Amino acid sequence: MAKKSFAIPFHLGCDIDGIPVFHLTDSFARYEERRQLIPDLVHEPQDEISTDAFDVAALIAQAASQKESFAAHDGIYETHVMYPTSTSKKLVVLTGWVPSTTITALKEGHEMIEPIVLSREVIDVPSETCCDWTEIDLYQIIAGFIDASVRALALNPREL
């Protein structure tokens, strides 16, 4: 059987200087990506409890992109995937801490890798239009992701 592969798109999310900061997805985006491999796949609604393998792959892909951009950095890469719950009233924030050695091991096809640490938080999506956005958890989380990425870029400048 021939191997098939597909790329994890970062068209939804945020990047700084081409380096992914976070990835936004949902059950429909995952479904469309999987249909590249399984054309007759049936759409499944968002699972509120489990972590989707596609999301873990997106975390690893972000870390690999960071590793390529920061060749001097050989530590742990923090990455993020966010997606709405099935009701769209809450947002799941999945954070992964991916060791540099794990990225190398995956690229080289090793069977054993260092563990990837995952954290999963569920936050409310604000529905009030008259509130101060800077006080909302969602805004603070996204601003924190961007701030951390800007600091990482400043500490590890890329050669252009």
Side-chain angles (χ1 to χ4, degrees), residues 4-84:
K4 291 185 178 181
S5 65
F6 63 96
I8 297 171
F10 291 109
H11 57 272
L12 296 175
C14 176
D15 69 74
I16 294 176
D17 198 19
I19 303 163
V21 175
F22 61 85
H23 177 67
L24 293 172
T25 192
D26 64 13
S27 63
F28 291 107
R30 290 188 206 100
Y31 166 70
E32 288 301 325
E33 291 302 319
R34 285 186 171 116
R35 279 190 31 194
Q36 293 179 35
L37 298 174
I38 309 168
D40 58 347
L41 184 69
V42 175
H43 177 261
E44 296 290 331
Q46 178 67 52
D47 182 339
E48 306 298 321
I49 305 299
S50 302
T51 299
D52 192 289
F54 185 88
D55 297 340
V56 176
L59 293 170
I60 294 168
Q62 286 177 63
S65 178
Q66 289 177 17
K67 182 175 172 59
E68 287 176 16
S69 298
F70 305 134
H73 178 64
D74 200 23
I76 295 177
Y77 297 91
E78 182 176 319
T79 59
H80 311 278
V81 170
M82 296 188 290
Y83 55 89

Side-chain angles (χ1 to χ4, degrees), residues 60 63-65 67 77 98-108 113:
I60 294 168
S65 178
K67 182 175 172 59
Y77 297 91
V98 183
S100 175
T101 53
T102 296
I103 299 164
T104 301
L106 289 169
K107 283 184 177 181
E108 294 175 355
I113 62 172

Side-chain angles (χ1 to χ4, degrees), residues 78-126:
E78 182 176 319
T79 59
H80 311 278
V81 170
M82 296 188 290
Y83 55 89
T85 59
S86 59
T87 63
S88 297
K89 293 183 179 179
K90 294 186 181 283
L91 189 70
V92 176
V93 179
L94 184 64
T95 301
W97 291 271
V98 183
S100 175
T101 53
T102 296
I103 299 164
T104 301
L106 289 169
K107 283 184 177 181
E108 294 175 355
H110 298 182
E111 291 182 20
M112 302 298 288
I113 62 172
E114 285 190 52
I116 297 168
V117 177
L118 299 177
S119 168
R120 186 177 178 276
E121 302 293 327
V122 180
I123 59 171
D124 290 324
V125 174

